[in-house]
Amino acid sequence: MSALAPGSARLLLLPNVVHLDPASAVFEAMKEGWARQQTSRFLRAKTIAPRLRLVDRLWEFSGLYPWQWTPAEGEAFIAYLRSQRHPIRISTARTYEVTISLFVEYLRDSRYGWGQVCAERFGQAPQEVFHEGNSVLHSVEYEGDPARRPLTYDEVQALFDAADARPGRIRGLGRKGALAALRDAAVLKTVYAYGLRRSECSRLDLVDLRRNAQAAQYGRFGTVMVRFGKAPKGSPPKRRSVLTVPELDWSMDVLGDYLAEVRPRFSPGRHPALWVTERVGRLSPRSIDEAFVAARQAADLDEDLDLHCLRHSYITHLTEFGYPARFVQEQVGHSHASTTAVYMGVSNEFRNALLEKALRERLGQDWE
């Protein structure tokens, strides 16, 4: 065996690669090494696995190994994905390009020795695949789907009315699921009233409903403690406390009724989860998504709206209620104000009211 970096040499001797042909063995060892590098950075498996699958997809598409890839292979891959019946979005294309670039950067790092391995064994070394001339530029702040927008107040009310009506409709049909529908209505209202992500709502426990000394009138519903907020890559979940605001304090009655009348009927025993299932498990994020879709369809709302739009609505409505931008940012757990800003979709009425206020302050009565 040629002189290799210690890490590369050990990987090539792993049991899962020694039985392969030389090129395949090296390729598998490369992926194994990259996975370990990412694991050492405390990236989660659900981040690493899709990255490895993307590397395999480019290998399958091109029919070439990483040390044979050129910019032409990368460009052809993206062009192919854009030509499909459901073409990838610009943000997805950038993610793919960045992921492939990270893998190639790992291979080209002299500390891992893969360039030397490839040059000695195959007469080629990994080269840059995506560069400034063939990559998607990040030129705007927000590239999300424009169909994902805040709901209007009327749409929020229609959604909740539809969710409240589902238990009775299910009973009328003589079907099972009325109890779950009662729970789902409370879940959707809680997601909106506290601006939660689906995973944050799913992971709530009973102990996360806490008092706020400055709002004693709300009792145990003064604060929702989010312990499993969205984590930056390689970091533990972010924590935050979401305060109950007066405009949305009806959530206190929603949660109170759920805890007193609905949750006990699931016979949860000592299960810590706030939202439990008929089988006494924790309600999954997917089930919360499905609850939103069922209510949205019953309310005949735009099919492009999804559960995350309730979070957009929360941010927008807090802004229209007059809360400072910094307060809104802390409530939803954004690290940067610019992230919170792109979630907003304030109404023309709100903007006109701000304009009128500014004109009055600047021009007095002359503005009329």
Side-chain angles (χ1 to χ4, degrees):
M1 179 179 294
S2 303
L4 304 177
S8 302
R10 284 197 297 270
L11 287 170
L12 288 174
L13 294 174
L14 289 174
N16 62 331
V17 299
V18 294
H19 66 283
L20 301 174
D21 64 86
S24 296
V26 171
F27 182 41
E28 290 301 318
M30 285 175 167
K31 291 188 294 179
E32 180 77 19
W34 192 42
R36 291 189 177 189
Q37 182 208 54
Q38 295 174 87
T39 301
S40 72
R41 294 168 51 203
F42 275 68
L43 299 188
R44 292 176 291 181
K46 68 178 185 180
T47 298
I48 299 172
R51 289 181 170 184
L52 295 176
R53 286 197 296 270
L54 181 63
V55 169
D56 280 331
R57 287 175 64 186
L58 179 53
W59 168 68
E60 292 169 358
F61 171 82
S62 66
L64 301 173
Y65 288 103
W67 54 90
Q68 299 171 309
W69 292 344
T70 68
E73 277 71 53
E75 294 159 9
F77 182 54
I78 297 299
Y80 167 75
L81 295 175
R82 292 192 61 192
S83 67
Q84 300 304 293
R85 181 179 179 183
H86 299 290
I88 58 172
R89 299 181 184 277
I90 186 171
S91 56
T92 303
R94 178 184 296 107
T95 299
Y96 287 2
E97 292 170 358
V98 169
T99 299
I100 296 299
S101 295
L102 288 173
F103 177 60
V104 173
E105 182 181 336
Y106 161 75
L107 299 182
R108 298 178 69 197
D109 190 331
S110 60
R111 290 171 292 190
Y112 296 101
W114 288 117
Q116 180 184 353
V117 171
C118 294
E120 293 181 358
R121 293 196 173 197
F122 311 113
Q124 292 176 280
Q127 62 174 293
E128 193 175 29
V129 174
F130 292 107
H131 49 78
E132 290 185 1
N134 66 356
S135 300
V136 179
L137 298 178
H138 198 165
S139 57
V140 296
E141 189 68 34
Y142 180 66
E143 295 175 338
D145 187 349
R148 295 178 66 185
R149 58 170 177 81
L151 282 70
T152 66
Y153 296 101
D154 288 342
E155 287 175 328
V156 170
Q157 188 61 57
L159 181 78
F160 292 163
D161 288 345
D164 288 337
R166 288 191 68 236
R169 188 164 57 252
I170 291 173
R171 291 193 198 97
L173 294 172
R175 294 164 48 192
K176 296 181 179 180
L179 183 61
L182 284 170
R183 175 205 60 210
D184 292 345
V187 170
L188 295 180
K189 293 172 184 177
T190 302
V191 167
Y192 168 70
Y194 294 95
L196 303 176
R197 301 178 177 91
R198 63 177 188 168
S199 59
E200 294 172 347
C201 187
S202 171
R203 298 297 296 272
L204 287 178
D205 287 342
L206 292 172
V207 296
D208 295 324
L209 302 177
R210 304 185 181 184
R211 298 178 180 273
N212 179 357
Q214 300 302 316
Q217 68 273 24
Y218 296 147
R220 68 179 295 191
F221 306 115
T223 302
V224 169
M225 183 66 185
V226 176
R227 293 180 291 119
F228 294 91
K230 185 177 181 179
K233 288 183 172 60
S235 300
K238 290 176 63 176
R239 294 186 174 216
R240 72 178 189 278
S241 296
V242 186
L243 306 182
T244 302
V245 298
E247 293 83 357
L248 302 175
D249 61 4
W250 46 259
S251 59
M252 177 178 62
D253 295 328
V254 171
L255 288 167
D257 289 344
Y258 167 75
L259 292 176
E261 305 294 337
V262 180
R263 190 176 185 275
R265 294 167 62 186
F266 286 101
S267 302
R270 301 184 63 179
H271 200 295
L274 175 59
W275 312 112
V276 293
T277 67
E278 295 89 338
R279 297 184 178 181
V280 195
R282 184 182 297 274
L283 188 67
S284 68
R286 179 177 179 178
S287 295
I288 299 176
D289 275 336
E290 292 171 349
F292 177 87
V293 170
R296 183 196 67 201
Q297 292 174 342
D300 196 25
L301 297 178
D302 187 345
E303 66 178 12
D304 288 323
L305 298 174
D306 62 14
L307 180 72
H308 203 65
C309 292
L310 287 179
R311 182 169 160 86
H312 290 227
S313 306
Y314 175 78
I315 292 172
T316 297
H317 296 163
L318 282 193
T319 302
E320 294 185 341
F321 294 154
Y323 288 96
R326 181 64 182 181
F327 175 79
V328 178
Q329 179 185 343
E330 293 292 336
Q331 286 282 94
V332 296
H334 285 157
S335 299
H336 305 287
S338 57
T339 306
T340 309
V342 299
Y343 276 53
M344 293 181 188
V346 295
S347 64
N348 287 341
E349 291 79 4
F350 175 76
R351 295 167 63 195
N352 286 330
L354 290 181
L355 177 61
E356 179 179 340
K357 179 181 178 181
L359 289 173
R360 284 186 181 279
E361 292 176 351
R362 183 176 301 177
L363 303 177
Q365 297 302 318
D366 295 337
W367 74 276
E368 298 177 357

